[in-house]
Amino acid sequence: MKALVAAALVLFGLPALAQSPQEAKPLEPGREALAIPYEKYTLPNGLEVILSVDRKLPVVSVNVWYHVGAYHEQPGRTGFAHLFEHMMFQGSRNVADDVHISMLEQLGATDLNGTTSFDRTNYFETVPTHHLETALWLESDRMGFLLDAMTPEKLATQKEVVKNERRQGTEAAPYGLAREAAWHALFPLPHPYHGDVIGSMKDLDAATLDDVKDFFRKWYAPSNATLAVVGDFDVAKTKALIEKYFGSLPSHPKPTRPTVAPVKLTKPVVIRHEERIAQLPLLSMQWLTPAYFEQGDATADVLATALGTGKASRLYRRLVLDKQLAQSVDVTQQSQGAQSVFTLNVVARPGVSTDTIQKEVDAVLDDVRKNGITAEEIQRARTRFDTRTLAGLQSIGGFGGKADVLQSYNHFVGEPSYVAQDLTRYETVTPEAVKQFAKETLSPDSRVILHAVPPARKQAPVEPKERR
Amino acid sequence: MRRLITTLVTVSLAGCASQQKPASSETPATPPQATQPTAPADAESFRATKPEPGKPPELVLPSFQKATLDNGLTVLVSTRRELPLVFAGLTFAAGSAQDPAGKQGLADLTYRMLLEGAGSRDTVALDNAFGDLGVSPFQDVAADGAQVGVRVLTRNVDAALGLLSDVTLRPTFAPKAFERRKKQQLADLVRRLGQPTALGQIVFLSAAFGSAHPYGHSAAGMPDTVQALSLEDVQGFYKKHVGPAAAALVMTGDVTLDEAVAFAKKHFGTWKSQATLPAAPPTPKLTNREQVNVVPKPGLDQTVVIMGRPAIAAGNPDEFSLELATTVFGGFFGSRLNMNLREDKGYSYGAGASLDPRLGVGPLTSYASVRSDVTGPAVKEAMGEVSGLKSRPITEKELEAAREGLIRAFPGAFESVEGLGSSASQLFRKRRPMDEFNRTVEGLRTATAADVQRAAEKYLDPATLQIVLVGDPLLIQEQVSPLNLGKLVPVEPDTQPGVTRAGP
């Protein structure tokens, strides 16, 4: 659930409806609303299927996860998993070139996109109930017969599209290049996280048609995919349709996931970046933290919330309200398969030095290392997670909706209906555990510190002059 | 349509429309290596045809109910019982359109102040009180109004409404909190003015509406106008505009109309104020494009291209015809504009257009970020798609695709209580009837091909579109001048006082 919120993701590029994260109160006793009824089975070719009926509205979500992401890329090919995701929309043996999205749009699909993270690539659409078969047909054709329609021209165009996507999110985005530099420092080569999901211009340019073919043949087999159908559908009929469209797709044994030694930072890395886009200075601190669901991951979530969520959070209170040095704070535990990243961002007020900000942040962190946080803060964080989770189940599909939730738990722990167990993790977080985590994992000696500072002439004056 | 669903007035990257396929020379068939025999081709021949759809389900549209308290407060409800969740929010009819001249940003600052202390609580205590319910309040301030709301578990609704009642009826407006909040607003402006897309939006609004028009500025205002705001201004705006006759309690999800009315009476029944509904903004003067506004950002890797104009108000008879035309032009991913700029040329990650009918005449905007070295060709293609609406009229196939796509997307667009809440809020702000969505579907169904073509040619007339480009001035000069779209004029909404500075 939360991994879906924080994961580094790159989308195929359709608009998402504006979602404002809001949270609420704990669900005990019972947490009945969190139990998602589902059925899971596997076809002979290895395709996993998850079915979950939800008759709230006459719509059904089809959602396919391929268990491959940027983590599985070859050296010199950063950004490839995501570039490949774009190729999946370009047509296949029986689906004409570049009509996949238009076709779905025209029949009233919503929540229609694909996204790539380090751990997986997913494709989804929510369709009116009478178009379920069309969605299954589309998904099965690209799963089985993508390469029949692959051309060098298509690859050349999508490389350009993806490079524009990169410009929009990196070169031309506030702090984009600065954040990328910090990310590189966190995961030095040859770690597969080094390139981030979007990859580098050089590597995107280098991708070939053979790369596309090899990647598809290795990773895009039914044995490495999970199909979820969630919403208002007839189970028996849908099983027959899934058999019809997916049952005969050729496959091979599930490819093995490469293992990579975890990165350890032994001394602080300080990056001073001259910021060309944003006009306010940014101080960012990042640490490597335990992977999703490992011991410490839940503790990190709680601490991130206590430090940075809401006006009463520790960093906001001190830096924004009391000292008025900062404009905003933002703290996240980005939970990922191989290793997570704990990020603390503070945007400074005009003219305030990031070194000053760092001293203040360090004072707050030192206090947590010494005294932990209060039981009250932990309880508040829990209630936020509980409600955010329940609210996330309102949409059957789309980014982070019910189908994604089932898929995500299935991917990471092998059990689709794991919502309540996930939330139980937070009940074991104690003030003492937070203190230990802050001391051992968030050590001052094992972090990347980024100062992204606009040149002096670009920084606004601290006090704008009165207009005459 | 989507505009009613989301509260943010953003230009989306979606599109819809024509099937321009990238030229492809050959399709090498390279079947994947299989470890199991592939079924014989004839057994697989069913794949060659797209499946026939089943029987369409009945179209489920969101329904809203309305009641009014004795003091004039509107109560808007949409019941949805599946999960124990409720969205509860106060919607206010006054927005940034009510900012007095020279005080742009006042509505935004006033509404932000509501959460900087209310009742007996200061900023931190208030945040903790919401936090005890596991809630962070959500705020939006836009041209036609504002909302502050929360999404809570059913059993916390009463407590949450108690806090919202404090926030709405008893804001503290403490001088110290005001000074701090004002500095935050100013710093946030500095941040916005560093973002190419935000800059483009600011310049577009003033180019399209004129900076004196109520819709001619962004809700955040500009550094010098915010700098000039006082606590008295904030208190004055609150007194003039925030009251039961100009507000609605919106409740969606696990709640009925009767329950909502009871809550409203309990928490807002004694609310009294002189505030009245503001008048709709006047129709802006439509002028043909005389210049191209260039916001210089030397060395920027992408150029932000915004084109648009004031178009129509909500309830205008042309609304649904124009919605369909805009969808074909740039509304869906498969639109003419996106299929050309993104999928055919690779100039952009996405190009789109959207219509924003407001209480008054709202904008029609098209948007793309393009690789800077193809700025000229991209602008040329975009303008070509605009004039193409006349030379290559919208086909029946394009129209039916847009019609069916928009209508059938309705149920899937109303899955969350907060989505319903924001739709209810929009209905109140735009003063639309409770059956607006039924009217919308009806309007989309009955718009004729002639209506749609007429709307396309009338509102997407190339001569009337204002153009804003944010990017490298030399590249723009070199590549856009030859297109003869008008004199290139540098415009810098500065972080220094002086809202916009037109250079020589």
Side-chain angles (χ1 to χ4, degrees):
Chain A
M1 199 58 225
K2 61 99 22 189
L4 295 173
V5 176
L9 282 167
V10 181
L11 276 71
F12 180 69
L14 284 164
L17 289 180
Q19 290 276 347
S20 52
Q22 306 157 48
E23 300 105 15
K25 210 29 212 174
L27 300 165
E28 37 310 307
R31 289 185 172 157
E32 297 83 359
L34 292 178
I36 309 174
Y38 76 95
E39 180 182 350
K40 178 175 158 183
Y41 61 98
T42 306
L43 297 182
N45 61 6
L47 178 72
E48 275 188 329
V49 179
I50 299 170
L51 303 179
S52 178
V53 173
D54 178 336
R55 305 226 185 266
K56 183 174 62 173
L57 288 165
V59 289
V60 59
S61 167
V62 173
N63 173 309
V64 183
W65 276 39
Y66 293 92
H67 304 283
V68 56
Y71 175 84
H72 308 79
E73 289 160 353
Q74 296 300 307
R77 288 293 181 274
T78 59
F80 190 80
H82 166 247
L83 174 61
F84 186 91
E85 177 218 308
H86 276 242
M87 303 316 297
M88 284 283 279
F89 288 90
Q90 298 305 310
S92 45
R93 181 188 294 175
N94 303 291
V95 177
D97 290 352
D98 215 354
V99 301
H100 181 106
I101 292 187
S102 315
M103 194 183 281
L104 286 165
E105 275 179 331
Q106 292 168 25
L107 48 83
T110 49
D111 282 338
L112 149 68
N113 215 327
T115 74
T116 308
S117 75
F118 284 112
D119 298 300
R120 89 295 174 282
T121 312
N122 66 358
Y123 302 86
F124 47 83
E125 54 274 338
T126 296
V127 293
T129 51
H130 62 307
H131 289 297
L132 171 60
E133 189 173 353
T134 300
L136 294 171
W137 171 71
L138 284 167
E139 291 297 352
S140 65
D141 211 65
R142 57 184 177 180
M143 185 184 289
F145 316 103
L146 176 80
L147 297 185
D148 297 24
M150 191 53 56
T151 66
E153 292 82 3
K154 288 179 180 181
L155 179 62
T157 304
Q158 288 307 309
K159 278 189 192 180
E160 288 308 311
V161 171
V162 171
K163 281 156 62 184
N164 282 314
E165 183 176 358
R166 183 190 145 89
R167 286 182 194 101
Q168 211 158 306
T170 306
E171 282 87 354
Y175 314 116
L177 285 168
R179 286 175 198 262
E180 183 178 58
W183 191 265
H184 288 337
L186 273 173
F187 295 104
L189 279 171
H191 195 283
Y193 280 10
H194 179 83
D196 211 342
V197 177
I198 193 72
S200 71
M201 292 291 190
K202 181 167 157 281
D203 289 4
L204 288 167
D205 278 330
T208 67
L209 204 57
D210 281 340
D211 292 329
V212 173
K213 291 173 182 172
D214 294 347
F215 199 81
F216 179 80
R217 288 175 184 145
K218 178 163 187 188
W219 299 107
Y220 271 67
S223 61
N224 198 41
T226 307
L227 164 71
V229 179
V230 178
D232 185 6
F233 63 95
D234 178 286
V235 175
K237 281 184 190 158
T238 302
K239 281 184 173 175
L241 286 175
I242 290 170
E243 177 56 41
K244 173 181 171 182
Y245 284 102
F246 293 89
S248 62
L249 298 182
S251 190
H252 52 65
K254 188 177 171 75
T256 50
R257 182 174 184 268
T259 51
V260 173
V263 180
K264 241 185 120 52
L265 282 175
T266 48
K267 57 178 194 295
V269 180
V270 179
I271 298 171
R272 292 190 180 266
H273 178 93
E274 186 177 282
E275 173 62 30
R276 286 176 51 237
I277 305 289
Q279 301 211 353
L280 293 178
L282 167 78
L283 175 82
S284 174
M285 289 183 193
Q286 294 180 293
W287 290 265
L288 298 162
T289 51
Y292 195 19
F293 290 111
E294 279 182 8
Q295 191 65 38
D297 175 52
T299 310
D301 278 339
V302 172
L303 178 56
T305 303
L307 287 174
T309 303
K311 292 178 179 172
S313 64
R314 292 187 173 220
L315 285 169
Y316 191 96
R317 225 176 137 160
R318 180 175 178 128
L319 288 157
V320 180
L321 297 180
D322 297 348
K323 306 238 171 183
Q324 299 190 41
L325 295 165
Q327 183 57 13
S328 65
V329 303
D330 163 45
V331 189
T332 50
Q333 158 79 347
Q334 187 175 313
S335 301
Q336 303 174 145
Q339 237 172 326
S340 302
V341 176
F342 191 94
T343 304
L344 190 157
N345 288 327
V346 181
V347 175
R349 289 276 173 87
V352 173
S353 135
T354 47
D355 295 305
T356 308
I357 298 281
Q358 186 182 327
K359 281 195 196 82
E360 294 296 329
V361 172
D362 280 339
V364 170
L365 290 175
D366 282 339
D367 182 47
V368 176
R369 291 180 191 120
K370 212 165 26 219
N371 305 309
I373 60 174
T374 65
E376 205 177 30
E377 285 167 297
I378 294 174
Q379 183 53 39
R380 280 198 195 113
R382 275 191 206 133
T383 59
R384 285 182 190 279
F385 300 157
D386 268 17
T387 312
R388 193 165 56 195
T389 303
L390 182 70
L393 301 176
Q394 296 183 93
S395 297
I396 55 165
F399 179 64
K402 201 188 247 188
D404 255 356
V405 170
L406 291 163
Q407 286 272 27
S408 177
Y409 289 131
N410 181 60
H411 176 94
F412 286 103
V413 297
E415 165 57 64
S417 189
Y418 198 74
V419 185
Q421 293 94 315
D422 182 1
L423 289 170
T424 304
R425 295 191 300 151
Y426 300 103
E427 284 161 25
T428 62
V429 176
T430 61
E432 188 54 34
V434 173
K435 184 166 128 181
Q436 284 307 105
F437 178 86
K439 227 170 25 201
E440 288 158 21
T441 310
L442 303 190
S443 136
D445 303 327
S446 62
R447 59 182 169 177
V448 172
I449 304 170
L450 167 70
H451 300 259
V453 182
R457 63 181 167 76
K458 279 195 68 178
Q459 280 201 48
V462 183
E463 287 290 332
K465 292 182 210 67
E466 291 291 341
R467 197 177 175 190
R468 269 183 241 154
Chain B
M1 305 307 98
R2 287 156 211 241
R3 76 200 127 85
L4 286 164
I5 297 158
T6 150
T7 53
L8 293 182
V9 186
T10 52
V11 188
S12 68
L13 291 182
C16 125
S18 69
Q19 314 291 308
Q20 290 171 290
K21 291 172 198 163
S24 67
S25 52
E26 51 174 11
T27 52
T30 36
Q33 292 157 331
T35 51
Q36 46 181 261
T38 316
D42 54 342
E44 297 290 315
S45 60
F46 69 89
R47 297 184 184 277
T49 29
K50 183 183 162 193
E52 283 301 309
K55 187 174 162 290
E58 199 172 317
L59 194 67
V60 177
L61 299 177
S63 63
F64 298 91
Q65 295 168 287
K66 183 172 160 177
T68 311
L69 298 194
D70 293 343
N71 63 357
L73 182 71
T74 301
V75 181
L76 287 181
V77 173
S78 185
T79 304
R80 174 67 66 72
R81 289 287 198 191
E82 290 82 8
L83 291 171
L85 282 173
V86 176
F87 172 85
L90 264 293
T91 290
F92 308 104
S96 61
Q98 277 63 51
D99 284 341
K103 296 192 174 175
Q104 288 87 348
L106 178 57
D108 196 32
L109 179 54
T110 303
Y111 290 120
R112 306 273 162 213
M113 280 303 295
L114 300 184
L115 291 173
E116 297 289 352
S120 59
R121 299 179 178 92
D122 67 3
T123 306
V124 171
L126 187 60
D127 190 67
N128 275 331
F130 278 115
D132 286 335
L133 304 173
V135 180
S136 275
F138 156 74
Q139 267 194 305
D140 105 85
V141 182
D144 287 336
Q147 179 161 268
V148 55
V150 292
R151 184 186 55 207
V152 289
L153 284 184
T154 308
R155 69 171 126 108
N156 290 323
V157 171
D158 192 43
L161 285 170
L163 292 173
L164 287 174
S165 165
D166 270 351
V167 162
T168 310
L169 277 63
R170 293 171 286 279
T172 316
F173 292 136
K176 261 190 151 152
F178 169 77
E179 287 308 322
R180 191 193 64 232
R181 185 74 233 180
K182 180 173 150 179
K183 282 188 194 139
Q184 261 179 280
Q185 300 286 102
L186 284 165
D188 193 56
L189 274 171
V190 176
R191 172 161 34 179
R192 274 169 207 263
L193 293 168
Q195 297 170 343
T197 45
L199 269 173
Q201 280 292 348
I202 289 168
V203 175
F204 169 71
L205 288 173
S206 97
F209 289 93
S211 52
H213 189 275
Y215 289 160
H217 66 281
S218 78
M222 289 303 279
D224 57 337
T225 64
V226 174
Q227 182 60 42
L229 298 176
S230 68
L231 184 54
E232 289 69 36
D233 291 328
V234 164
Q235 288 163 321
F237 186 97
Y238 174 82
K239 196 170 164 193
K240 183 176 176 185
H241 292 296
V242 180
L249 172 66
V250 169
M251 296 189 77
T252 60
D254 189 12
V255 65
T256 63
L257 182 64
D258 289 349
E259 289 165 344
V261 168
F263 280 131
K265 283 180 178 158
K266 175 179 170 184
H267 293 287
F268 301 92
T270 59
W271 190 12
K272 286 201 174 33
S273 150
Q274 298 305 304
T276 52
L277 280 178
T283 300
K285 191 160 70 75
L286 190 70
T287 50
N288 280 2
R289 181 181 61 257
E290 289 160 0
Q291 62 183 58
V292 174
N293 302 283
V294 179
V295 185
K297 285 272 164 188
L300 196 65
D301 297 75
Q302 282 191 316
T303 303
V304 176
V305 180
I306 300 177
M307 307 187 313
R309 56 167 284 179
I312 56 174
N316 182 311
D318 286 342
E319 184 175 359
F320 306 118
S321 306
L322 184 55
E323 182 67 43
L324 288 160
T326 307
T327 300
V328 172
F329 167 69
F332 278 175
F333 182 91
S335 66
R336 291 182 177 193
L337 187 67
N338 189 58
M339 291 310 275
N340 181 345
L341 263 62
R342 168 174 161 147
E343 293 295 291
D344 189 42
K345 309 285 191 311
Y347 289 163
S348 172
Y349 176 50
S354 65
L355 182 63
D356 179 22
R358 298 179 177 180
L359 176 62
V361 172
L364 193 168
T365 315
S366 101
Y367 167 90
S369 280
V370 302
R371 196 172 80 230
S372 54
D373 63 348
V374 294
T375 301
V379 171
K380 188 175 172 214
E381 290 298 330
M383 283 309 273
E385 290 298 348
V386 175
S387 46
L389 287 166
K390 193 169 178 169
S391 57
R392 292 180 290 116
I394 293 169
T395 65
E396 191 188 348
K397 195 172 161 218
E398 285 177 313
L399 174 57
E400 292 318 312
R403 198 194 304 272
E404 178 74 5
L406 289 176
I407 291 173
R408 284 282 163 194
F410 261 95
F414 290 95
E415 290 182 288
S416 71
V417 298
E418 55 276 28
L420 286 167
S422 108
S423 296
S425 178
Q426 293 297 327
L427 293 182
F428 179 76
R429 295 178 203 194
K430 297 178 187 177
R431 306 180 203 173
R432 304 308 300 150
M434 290 301 99
D435 64 350
E436 176 73 354
F437 293 112
N438 304 66
R439 285 185 56 264
T440 301
V441 168
E442 197 49 33
L444 291 169
R445 273 211 177 107
T446 53
T448 66
D451 293 337
V452 174
Q453 186 58 35
R454 193 181 41 78
E457 291 178 25
K458 177 177 170 189
Y459 294 98
L460 282 152
D461 170 357
T464 63
L465 296 191
Q466 302 301 326
I467 300 178
V468 177
L469 305 173
V470 186
D472 189 286
L474 293 176
L475 262 173
I476 292 173
Q477 180 72 37
E478 185 188 328
Q479 296 194 3
V480 179
S481 295
L483 303 178
N484 296 320
L485 295 168
K487 184 173 181 297
L488 304 190
V489 177
V491 181
E492 295 195 68
D494 216 304
T495 52
Q496 307 288 349
V499 177
T500 52
R501 236 184 21 216

